[in-house]
Amino acid sequence: MNDLIHALQDLLGAHQVLTGDDVRQRAVSWFDHSPNQAGAIIRPASTEEVAQALSLCHEAGISIVPMGGLTGVVDGVRATPNQIGLSLERLTGIEPIDVDSRTLTVEAGVPLQKVHEIAEEHGLHFPVDLGARGSCTIGGMASTNAGGNEVLRYGMMREQILGLEAVLADGRVVSNLRPLMKNNTGYDLKQLFIGSEGTLGIVTRVTLKLRPLHHSLSTAWVAVDEFANLSRLLRQLERQLGGRLSAFEVMWRDHAELMAGDDSPHTLPLEDKAPYYVLIQAANYHESESATFEAALETAFEQNLITDAAVASSQAQQAKMWAIRDDIERLTKKLAPYAAFDISLPIKHMEPYVDTLKSELTAQWPAAKLIVFGHLGDGNLHIFINVGDAMDDSNRHAIESIVYSPLQHVSGSISAEHGIGLEKKAYLALSRSETEIALMWQLKQALDPMGVLNPGVIFD
Amino acid sequence: MNDLIHALQDLLGAHQVLTGDDVRQRAVSWFDHSPNQAGAIIRPASTEEVAQALSLCHEAGISIVPMGGLTGVVDGVRATPNQIGLSLERLTGIEPIDVDSRTLTVEAGVPLQKVHEIAEEHGLHFPVDLGARGSCTIGGMASTNAGGNEVLRYGMMREQILGLEAVLADGRVVSNLRPLMKNNTGYDLKQLFIGSEGTLGIVTRVTLKLRPLHHSLSTAWVAVDEFANLSRLLRQLERQLGGRLSAFEVMWRDHAELMAGDDSPHTLPLEDKAPYYVLIQAANYHESESATFEAALETAFEQNLITDAAVASSQAQQAKMWAIRDDIERLTKKLAPYAAFDISLPIKHMEPYVDTLKSELTAQWPAAKLIVFGHLGDGNLHIFINVGDAMDDSNRHAIESIVYSPLQHVSGSISAEHGIGLEKKAYLALSRSETEIALMWQLKQALDPMGVLNPGVIFD
């Protein structure tokens, strides 16, 4: 390890190879503030430096843990003393935007928010958005195939990536940054690196597809009296709003009440209680389209799909509605100690799934609290569970088993948008078959036979 | 080979293993009517039969050429007497549509048109469409990542596929048919099989994402006086129509005039001549939206982006406009002997690229005809070239070199939507780097070490 560190210092400059306290001063991630345990953290400034550094690590047989914005939530960037942390923080280059092709090429360390800003300056829109926008980086979002609020309309991060450059385990650079919507010239290699959590290559640069920027947004908070009406409402709104429906966020009543309860800065937009609330958003490209939005809600009301609705009349009111949905800080504070989940399953299975979950939890812990909300339009639910007792390994595993096991039988997924990391790998077989995992392993062996890239993440 | 054929007959029944004249009666493809030369053509009826047949071929070391609708245009399904043709024509199963999740799972042999019909019956829309819709199959479209007219709005076939089942070279079945928009559980294996032209696995079943069905379409034919205004017009329409703009098909004047010239059934919708015509289409989800479409054209007129416009006032008029764009039969008849190309490049490089092409062609063949049209919104141009002389190997290669070589320097692609097949593999290195091709080959070796799946296609 010492020889490698010296070689890396020669390559990058001593200042760009952090060791000892300089490493320990850094936290593992935004969700684990304990001191980073990496043997060293290197900070290359270019793809070429990343490539040379990987080549040195590969020769030394020392493994690499890539570090982006550290906002992932599945424990995917935990380095040990015999590993090197590879921070992409100095890869912040941004190429001039191509407005004609609606594309933007940026290096891995560029934060999401910067991409939003550049796009908007040019009358364009980058449609992946999530709470960590100021910290999460494009490289990390590509490596984890990030999701967020507008997947219903635009798809995940994977769908926004036209070109990608990555460094392989042995230091070879694989690059195809052509800003093309269509390019059927052999295998689409970028797909290997998207969502593989840094285990097949280090993403260093990405060409992103941008979209037309909207003129305004229409936002409403509606009440729905039964589950079946949620999916009817969703499909009805899609039919009337076409591709403009960009969010359909459902909150089960317990969630909404927790968010707006005692000492809360939030107030629910509707007074009457309902079992489900939906935060609906559509993009308008023409003044007349906000009227279409209201007409669609009117239709839903006439068809008894919603029992009440509040339409935001200003951007401030829109922000207030979103704050109820997005205030994860309040949620986690109120609910601690909790176990949190990010699952997906076909909408038709959701109601019985949540019912079963509730009854199994309360059978075991009568005071259990189950908080459910999420991007219903994408089949994605976020679930927070408090069982009263402290959250030790034993009851955490029991809860995980209750949440994950039924998903296997309803074509569900144990990780909708967060990934597997170290945290969920014990449950991978609930979502992927033996043959699939064997094939995944074959790919890992083909691309990283020495196992130097983020080993232990996803699978062993 | 004979032993293998007997084993396949035992497995599938003699009737499902075509040999001799039964094979010869079948053409190579829709574009090569010569007798099929495969040693045998097998017709399994299920994924299980495909798997067992592949396992037999793998053991015997005999290679397989997959056969879907045979509508591909890059010579990707040519079997030799020492190869087995694997027809997916009996895999026509269709699972019940899931309207709540907007998904449909079908077997590989189902034709595209059937998927359109089922979706529309349920108020949904499958957004990949192409001329061969009655013959091309979902399996072939997945294997070749088909494109078509609505890519601008919805992306290629890849973006429509949520789940996929494939059989590997050795007969293992890799399946993940979960109908989920979000599923970040390890490597996204389906991406390997999409667009790899049957060289990494045989696609047997696909879960497709459907979209809301529109209420009506608005279609216009407009005249544009200079190239720079084409991309301005495109971005202006996108800004005003949001996600509803679904086609932006540009025809250079020579193309339009050839299509509407002497003895043609077509008439150009505008009388005045212009260097470019654009066929524009947007989907409406509400009655009021056709007015927004016309307002967007009005704005374009005021901004001098278009010099004239005809808006179709009926479905019949829409069909007439599309017929001009889609009448490939007339085009090929009028232009024979011709060489045809399907390339993509960033819009900003298109005008100088086409100018250079024209001058290089006419320098060598003064009477050369250059016909250009295509999905400009996707950066995709279709190019047809007639140089007067017969199209022999020598001048075909000279033309290919003139068309393909400049693409390398402008981040272009030698194949936008058609793929590589046998036809374009000599030029693969113009679009992909040495490292990329080496990595593609590493994948091929990892998944098909014996080289039994469509060998020679894409690369050797």
Side-chain angles (χ1 to χ4, degrees):
Chain A
M1 180 62 125
N2 278 340
D3 287 352
L4 174 62
I5 288 176
H6 289 139
L8 289 167
Q9 283 168 337
D10 288 346
L11 172 67
L12 305 171
H15 196 61
Q16 307 306 345
V17 181
L18 309 182
T19 54
D21 282 354
D22 289 340
V23 170
R24 247 49 82 201
Q25 275 168 17
R26 295 186 166 214
V28 170
S29 78
W30 282 79
F31 300 93
D32 177 351
H33 299 140
S34 67
N36 205 302
Q37 298 300 322
I41 292 179
I42 59 173
R43 306 191 299 171
S46 66
T47 301
E48 192 45 47
E49 285 191 356
V50 173
Q52 289 171 351
L54 254 71
S55 172
L56 289 175
C57 295
H58 192 254
E59 276 168 37
I62 301 280
S63 64
I64 288 279
V65 175
M67 295 174 174
L70 306 178
T71 60
V73 296
V74 292
D75 202 5
V77 292
R78 181 176 300 278
T80 59
N82 56 359
Q83 293 184 308
I84 301 285
L86 169 59
S87 170
L88 283 307
E89 66 198 68
R90 292 175 67 220
L91 267 76
T92 52
I94 299 174
E95 294 182 17
I97 190 170
D98 182 339
V99 174
D100 284 343
S101 290
R102 278 204 266 111
T103 60
L104 177 65
T105 299
V106 301
E107 286 188 326
V110 172
L112 171 59
Q113 191 166 321
K114 186 76 194 166
V115 170
H116 286 163
E117 287 166 7
I118 295 170
E120 291 197 15
E121 278 165 25
H122 293 84
L124 293 167
H125 176 57
F126 182 68
V128 178
D129 192 22
L130 32 92
R133 63 187 70 81
S135 307
C136 66
T137 59
I138 293 298
M141 294 175 68
S143 302
T144 58
N145 190 26
N149 291 333
E150 292 189 83
V151 173
L152 174 63
R153 176 170 185 189
Y154 294 107
M156 308 275 283
M157 190 70 183
R158 188 182 298 278
E159 276 83 57
Q160 323 311 325
I161 297 178
L162 296 176
L164 186 144
E165 175 189 80
V167 180
L168 299 176
D170 59 11
R172 279 182 295 162
V173 179
V174 191
S175 179
N176 197 322
L177 290 165
R178 291 161 208 263
L180 305 172
M181 302 274 184
K182 292 176 163 176
N183 185 12
N184 274 345
T185 51
Y187 306 165
D188 191 359
L189 296 173
K190 65 176 177 286
Q191 307 296 344
L192 287 170
F193 308 106
I194 301 171
S196 56
E197 305 185 28
T199 62
L200 295 180
I202 305 295
V203 175
T204 49
R205 209 187 317 216
V206 177
T207 298
L208 300 167
K209 175 159 78 174
L210 305 174
R211 314 290 178 134
L213 182 63
H214 46 263
H215 164 276
S216 63
L217 294 172
S218 286
T219 310
W221 176 282
V222 307
V224 173
D225 63 354
E226 58 174 298
F227 188 88
N229 283 337
L230 288 172
S231 56
R232 286 189 202 117
L233 174 64
L234 171 63
R235 298 313 164 203
Q236 162 74 23
L237 290 174
E238 285 188 330
R239 252 193 309 278
Q240 285 196 262
L241 299 174
R244 299 194 290 111
L245 184 69
S246 56
F248 191 88
E249 299 289 315
V250 176
M251 286 152 279
W252 269 244
R253 184 201 285 179
D254 290 347
H255 174 244
E257 288 182 350
L258 183 72
M259 299 307 280
D262 57 298
D263 75 359
S264 170
H266 311 297
T267 312
L268 294 188
L270 297 174
E271 282 191 7
D272 286 354
K273 289 187 176 190
Y276 307 98
Y277 299 103
V278 192
L279 181 57
I280 297 165
Q281 185 169 285
N284 304 317
Y285 297 85
H286 191 271
E287 282 167 31
S288 67
E289 291 178 335
S290 60
T292 318
F293 180 80
E294 291 178 36
L297 292 180
E298 195 59 44
T299 306
F301 200 74
E302 284 161 14
Q303 296 181 349
N304 297 317
L305 300 178
I306 59 180
T307 54
D308 204 356
V311 177
S313 60
S314 66
Q315 287 191 3
Q317 278 191 20
Q318 291 179 352
K320 277 188 186 170
M321 289 181 182
W322 275 103
I324 304 172
R325 161 67 180 81
D326 282 346
D327 191 352
I328 302 294
E329 200 180 322
R330 177 178 166 88
L331 177 66
T332 54
K333 217 166 107 188
K334 282 283 168 191
L335 217 63
Y338 63 87
F341 302 92
D342 160 52
I343 61 157
S344 64
L345 70 167
I347 298 174
K348 64 182 173 194
H349 295 302
M350 278 186 188
E351 191 180 20
Y353 171 77
V354 173
D355 286 348
T356 307
L357 203 55
K358 188 152 205 166
S359 64
E360 292 200 11
L361 286 169
T362 46
Q364 202 155 339
W365 297 277
K369 285 182 201 148
L370 173 65
I371 296 296
V372 183
F373 62 101
H375 321 290
L376 185 118
D378 315 320
N380 182 191
L381 296 181
H382 295 304
I383 294 176
F384 283 69
I385 293 169
N386 170 304
V387 295
D389 314 337
M391 193 61 66
D392 60 18
D393 278 356
S394 144
N395 57 20
R396 183 180 294 277
H397 288 151
I399 295 168
E400 284 171 351
S401 172
I402 290 173
V403 171
Y404 288 143
S405 302
L407 294 173
Q408 195 175 13
H409 311 295
V410 293
S411 294
S413 167
I414 62 160
S415 189
E417 45 184 28
H418 292 168
I420 298 297
L422 297 168
E423 188 186 292
K424 299 189 181 183
K425 66 179 172 177
Y427 299 96
L428 185 62
L430 292 175
S431 277
R432 308 298 295 265
S433 70
E434 215 174 291
T435 314
E436 282 186 284
I437 295 172
L439 182 55
M440 284 162 56
W441 190 246
Q442 255 179 282
L443 289 175
K444 174 73 175 170
Q445 296 284 87
L447 267 74
D448 179 18
M450 297 192 44
V452 297
L453 291 176
N454 219 5
V457 159
I458 300 179
F459 45 28
D460 287 309
Chain B
M1 182 59 127
N2 278 340
D3 287 354
L4 174 62
I5 288 177
H6 289 140
L8 289 167
Q9 283 169 337
D10 288 346
L11 172 68
L12 304 171
H15 197 61
Q16 307 306 346
V17 181
L18 309 183
T19 55
D21 282 353
D22 289 340
V23 171
R24 248 49 82 202
Q25 275 168 17
R26 296 186 165 215
V28 170
S29 77
W30 282 79
F31 301 94
D32 177 352
H33 300 139
S34 66
N36 205 302
Q37 298 299 322
I41 292 179
I42 59 173
R43 307 191 300 171
S46 66
T47 301
E48 194 44 48
E49 286 191 356
V50 173
Q52 290 170 350
L54 254 68
S55 172
L56 289 175
C57 295
H58 192 253
E59 276 167 37
I62 301 279
S63 63
I64 288 279
V65 175
M67 295 173 174
L70 305 178
T71 61
V73 296
V74 292
D75 203 5
V77 291
R78 181 176 301 278
T80 60
N82 55 359
Q83 294 184 307
I84 301 284
L86 167 59
S87 170
L88 284 306
E89 67 198 66
R90 291 175 69 221
L91 266 77
T92 53
I94 299 173
E95 294 181 18
I97 191 169
D98 182 340
V99 174
D100 284 343
S101 291
R102 278 204 265 110
T103 60
L104 177 65
T105 299
V106 302
E107 287 187 326
V110 172
L112 172 59
Q113 191 166 321
K114 188 76 193 162
V115 170
H116 286 164
E117 287 166 8
I118 294 170
E120 291 197 14
E121 277 165 25
H122 293 84
L124 293 167
H125 175 58
F126 182 69
V128 178
D129 192 22
L130 33 92
R133 64 187 70 81
S135 308
C136 66
T137 59
I138 294 298
M141 292 174 70
S143 302
T144 58
N145 189 27
N149 291 333
E150 291 189 82
V151 173
L152 174 64
R153 175 169 186 191
Y154 294 107
M156 308 276 283
M157 190 71 181
R158 189 181 298 277
E159 276 82 58
Q160 324 309 325
I161 297 178
L162 296 176
L164 186 143
E165 176 188 80
V167 181
L168 298 176
D170 58 11
R172 280 182 294 162
V173 178
V174 191
S175 180
N176 197 321
L177 291 164
R178 291 161 209 265
L180 304 172
M181 302 272 186
K182 291 176 164 177
N183 185 12
N184 274 345
T185 50
Y187 306 165
D188 191 358
L189 296 172
K190 65 176 176 284
Q191 306 296 346
L192 287 171
F193 308 105
I194 301 170
S196 56
E197 305 185 29
T199 62
L200 296 179
I202 305 295
V203 174
T204 48
R205 208 187 318 219
V206 176
T207 298
L208 300 167
K209 174 158 78 173
L210 305 174
R211 315 289 177 134
L213 183 63
H214 46 263
H215 164 275
S216 64
L217 295 171
S218 286
T219 310
W221 177 283
V222 307
V224 173
D225 63 354
E226 57 176 297
F227 189 88
N229 282 337
L230 288 172
S231 56
R232 287 189 201 116
L233 173 63
L234 171 63
R235 297 314 164 204
Q236 163 73 21
L237 290 174
E238 285 188 331
R239 254 194 307 279
Q240 286 195 262
L241 300 173
R244 300 194 290 110
L245 184 69
S246 56
F248 191 89
E249 299 290 314
V250 176
M251 285 153 280
W252 269 243
R253 184 202 285 180
D254 289 347
H255 175 244
E257 288 182 351
L258 183 72
M259 298 308 281
D262 57 301
D263 76 359
S264 170
H266 311 297
T267 312
L268 295 189
L270 297 173
E271 283 192 5
D272 285 354
K273 289 188 176 191
Y276 307 97
Y277 299 102
V278 192
L279 181 56
I280 298 165
Q281 185 170 284
N284 304 317
Y285 296 85
H286 191 272
E287 282 167 31
S288 67
E289 291 178 336
S290 61
T292 318
F293 180 81
E294 289 178 35
L297 292 181
E298 194 61 43
T299 307
F301 200 74
E302 284 160 14
Q303 296 181 347
N304 297 315
L305 300 179
I306 59 179
T307 54
D308 205 354
V311 177
S313 60
S314 65
Q315 288 191 0
Q317 279 190 18
Q318 292 179 351
K320 276 187 186 171
M321 288 180 181
W322 275 103
I324 303 171
R325 162 66 179 82
D326 282 345
D327 191 351
I328 303 292
E329 200 180 323
R330 177 178 166 87
L331 177 66
T332 53
K333 217 166 105 187
K334 282 283 170 190
L335 217 63
Y338 62 87
F341 302 92
D342 160 51
I343 60 157
S344 63
L345 71 166
I347 297 175
K348 64 182 173 195
H349 296 302
M350 276 185 189
E351 191 180 20
Y353 170 78
V354 173
D355 286 348
T356 306
L357 202 56
K358 188 151 203 167
S359 64
E360 291 199 11
L361 286 169
T362 45
Q364 201 155 343
W365 297 278
K369 284 183 204 150
L370 172 64
I371 296 296
V372 183
F373 61 102
H375 320 290
L376 184 118
D378 315 320
N380 182 190
L381 296 180
H382 295 305
I383 294 175
F384 283 70
I385 293 168
N386 170 305
V387 295
D389 314 338
M391 194 60 67
D392 60 18
D393 279 356
S394 145
N395 58 21
R396 181 178 296 275
H397 288 152
I399 296 167
E400 285 171 351
S401 169
I402 290 172
V403 171
Y404 290 142
S405 302
L407 294 173
Q408 194 174 11
H409 312 294
V410 293
S411 294
S413 166
I414 62 160
S415 188
E417 47 184 26
H418 292 168
I420 299 296
L422 297 169
E423 189 186 292
K424 298 188 182 182
K425 66 179 171 176
Y427 299 96
L428 184 62
L430 292 175
S431 278
R432 309 297 295 264
S433 70
E434 215 173 292
T435 315
E436 282 185 285
I437 295 172
L439 182 55
M440 284 163 55
W441 189 247
Q442 253 179 284
L443 289 174
K444 174 71 175 170
Q445 296 284 88
L447 268 74
D448 179 17
M450 296 191 44
V452 297
L453 291 177
N454 218 5
V457 159
I458 300 179
F459 45 28
D460 285 310

